[in-house]
Amino acid sequence: MSKTDTSQKDSSQLRQKTMIADHFTRLSKAPDTGEKCVYTYVPGNLTELLRAFDVLPVLPEINALQSGMRGKSRDFIAMAEKQGHSEDVCAYVKSDIGMQATGNVGPTGERLPPPDLLLLSYTGCFTFLKWFELLRERYKCPTVLLQVPYQGEGVITPAMRKYVVDQIRDKVIPELERVTGRKYDEDKLKENLRRSAKAEDDLVAVLESAKNVPSPIDSWFGGVYYIGPIFTAFRGTQDAVDYYRELRAEVEERVRLGQGPTTPDGDLGEEKFRIVVEGPPPWTHFRELWKMFADEGAVVVASTYTKVGGTYDLGFRHDPDHPLESLADYCMGCYTNLNMPTRVDMISNYVKNYKADGFLINSVKSCKSFSAGQLMIMREVENRTGRPGGFIESDLVDPRYFSSANVKNRLESYFQMIQQKRAAKEIA
Ligand code: SF4
């Protein structure tokens, strides 16, 4: 890696780190500064609207996954199960409940403020509802439920859009006005949406850079860092615009130099397998799994997980000229709100357009929004693309469901199968 490239890479990573640190510091000081905090989830989040009210978002799933990556979720989950939460409950919920029971200290070691409002955009996960019921019980704070229709027929109709827009206008905005004591300022929202669209353009360029051979990025292990700001508290901010502009420039430089992705152990070396991945990563064993891929020379060139907070690569952009309509379309377009045929189309197109050798499903025990129907998806995508599917099982943040030997074995067999198919000229 050239000296220039290292410094560029460091600059986007450092920027993201600073953004996150500043955000959590602001959150920790909120009880003193009086800044209002809204807890909300990643899929279908209304960050631009929250920011228009100068409200700070808190994303419970992000705190849970951070607890998983930092080795804390095991104890948090044990604590929640001791309180009576079943082993079958989504581990994100139990990790969060455990974290709250031990003082609500967030990933940076600073205490998170209690919510002034719980805002739930209901995008395909019933657990979200139950999770916020638990938090409401704990914090006795107001709650708003935005009902987002599932894309059962694979399209967003004008009636669906109107249904969501009406709720944003008549329920969400008045509640935000009440909680913050501020009037809704549509010009401010439009400005935020304009910045979102800019950042979204750059994110798409980054994700689509993986069509190059070799791919300059890993779109799952690396991808989760790239989606961080836009899926969470920063969409609509100038920080996000700057981060994605910088990241895009770094990635384009890697393409120019013909470089592959970096891994925790340095540059990948030869790209031997190009894989599409469906499902979220196992956060408790994230680095270990990444290393298993890297040791095989396997690069993830596209993933569905990087679409849970928006399917920008399918063309959606937040639109300042239609602010509430575009928020509505965004909520309805998140990956887990899409029906099975649409998901099959997406994955099949990824396999084709990103010249993948195959696709792998990581089926996580916790998340039915993801794992329901995955075997059907696998069969369909195999039929359509002629590329082999692989299947591993794990969990999001419950380390009891990750068996290193088992996963390694399955991956090795899977990559051998691809090699055999290549040797037999069944795939190119
Ligand atoms: S079930 Fe899935 S979508 Fe729902 S809260 Fe858990 S991880 Fe998130």
Side-chain angles (χ1 to χ4, degrees):
M1 186 185 292
S2 73
K3 202 161 179 258
T4 321
D5 190 57
T6 305
S7 66
Q8 281 180 335
K9 178 166 146 281
D10 283 344
S11 104
S12 83
Q13 281 182 342
L14 283 177
R15 186 186 289 277
Q16 183 174 153
K17 223 174 151 190
T18 307
M19 285 159 67
I20 292 170
D22 290 350
H23 181 66
F24 278 98
T25 299
R26 255 176 97 179
L27 284 172
S28 71
K29 292 183 176 157
D32 301 322
T33 60
E35 287 196 286
K36 302 293 180 194
C37 307
V38 171
Y39 285 24
T40 194
Y41 297 112
V42 170
N45 69 66
L46 301 176
T47 303
E48 295 88 349
L49 184 63
L50 298 183
R51 293 277 184 182
F53 282 94
D54 292 325
V55 152
L56 298 175
V58 174
L59 289 303
E61 313 109 293
I62 302 298
N63 297 332
L65 78 82
Q66 290 281 356
S67 297
M69 287 182 109
R70 285 154 206 257
K72 293 184 173 169
S73 55
R74 181 193 295 271
D75 290 345
F76 290 157
I77 289 168
M79 194 173 295
E81 288 183 355
K82 240 189 224 155
Q83 288 178 7
H85 297 282
S86 148
E87 205 178 310
D88 287 333
V89 170
C90 169
Y92 271 179
V93 181
K94 288 184 290 187
S95 179
D96 188 47
I97 296 292
M99 187 181 90
Q100 313 239 356
T102 49
N104 209 16
V105 174
T108 55
E110 291 156 295
R111 194 176 296 277
L112 292 167
D116 295 292
L117 175 73
L118 299 169
L119 170 59
L120 168 55
S121 297
Y122 184 87
T123 49
C125 171
F126 187 67
T127 304
F128 281 150
L129 259 173
K130 294 288 150 194
W131 192 346
F132 268 1
E133 280 177 11
L134 292 167
L135 296 193
R136 184 172 60 181
E137 220 166 82
R138 183 179 191 94
Y139 294 110
K140 315 277 181 250
C141 61
T143 314
V144 179
L145 168 62
L146 173 67
Q147 294 191 356
V148 178
Y150 185 64
Q151 281 205 44
E153 304 300 321
V155 287
I156 296 173
T157 64
M160 288 159 72
R161 183 175 297 117
K162 180 176 182 317
Y163 180 61
V164 180
V165 167
D166 287 352
Q167 291 176 75
I168 297 176
R169 196 186 48 236
D170 301 337
K171 273 172 62 180
V172 179
I173 289 177
E175 193 56 37
L176 284 167
E177 287 183 327
R178 202 188 61 72
V179 166
T180 60
R182 293 171 187 228
K183 287 304 284 174
Y184 169 54
D185 179 347
E186 190 151 280
D187 287 338
K188 203 165 172 184
L189 173 62
K190 285 180 175 176
E191 209 35 59
N192 291 348
L193 293 170
R194 198 163 287 124
R195 282 192 286 263
S196 291
K198 259 194 211 154
E200 288 156 6
D201 278 344
D202 287 338
L203 171 68
V204 170
V206 168
L207 295 176
E208 293 197 334
S209 72
K211 289 178 179 168
N212 288 282
V213 181
S215 168
I217 62 162
D218 184 287
S219 225
W220 195 43
F221 298 107
V224 300
Y225 293 99
Y226 305 149
I227 57 174
I230 220 161
F231 279 17
T232 61
F234 302 101
R235 218 178 48 242
T237 65
Q238 187 57 40
D239 273 343
V241 172
D242 295 343
Y243 169 77
Y244 284 101
R245 193 186 48 233
E246 207 160 66
L247 177 67
R248 179 177 181 170
E250 291 166 10
V251 169
E252 284 175 352
E253 179 66 359
R254 293 189 76 79
V255 174
R256 198 182 66 76
L257 298 171
Q259 290 175 327
T262 49
T263 76
D265 291 333
D267 279 349
L268 177 77
E270 189 193 347
E271 176 188 279
K272 294 187 187 147
F273 302 104
R274 296 170 64 83
I275 304 296
V276 170
V277 170
E278 145 79 5
W283 300 109
T284 49
H285 294 76
F286 184 80
R287 293 216 154 205
E288 189 181 335
L289 186 61
W290 193 351
K291 187 166 172 9
M292 288 182 201
F293 272 66
D295 287 348
E296 295 282 346
V299 180
V300 180
V301 287
S303 67
T304 54
Y305 184 69
T306 49
K307 317 296 153 38
V308 288
T311 45
Y312 303 110
D313 62 331
L314 301 187
F316 172 80
R317 293 290 180 278
H318 283 91
D319 177 3
D321 294 331
H322 303 93
L324 300 192
E325 291 78 5
S326 114
L327 288 175
D329 285 3
Y330 165 72
C331 291
M332 289 185 278
C334 293
Y335 182 73
T336 49
N337 203 51
L338 305 180
N339 69 5
M340 288 299 144
T342 310
R343 297 188 202 190
V344 168
D345 282 349
M346 262 178 87
I347 299 170
S348 303
N349 287 335
Y350 286 157
V351 171
K352 210 172 86 200
N353 298 337
Y354 286 78
K355 304 181 203 75
D357 300 298
F359 61 97
L360 182 86
I361 291 173
N362 178 38
S363 187
V364 292
K365 178 185 174 291
S366 278
C367 185
K368 306 297 171 283
S369 295
F370 254 107
S371 36
Q374 278 178 328
L375 284 173
M376 181 279 290
I377 288 178
M378 188 161 96
R379 271 196 305 274
E380 274 298 306
V381 176
E382 274 183 331
N383 284 343
R384 285 203 204 173
T385 63
R387 302 281 148 163
F391 200 85
I392 56 173
E393 289 165 286
S394 63
D395 190 52
L396 297 161
V397 292
D398 191 336
R400 293 172 295 185
Y401 295 96
F402 191 92
S403 159
S404 299
N406 196 328
V407 169
K408 196 168 189 323
N409 247 333
R410 285 213 200 172
L411 284 179
E412 281 170 3
S413 311
Y414 179 58
F415 293 127
Q416 272 169 19
M417 177 169 71
I418 292 178
Q419 259 169 341
Q420 281 161 3
K421 283 184 181 288
R422 270 185 194 150
K425 302 212 181 317
E426 287 174 39
I427 59 175

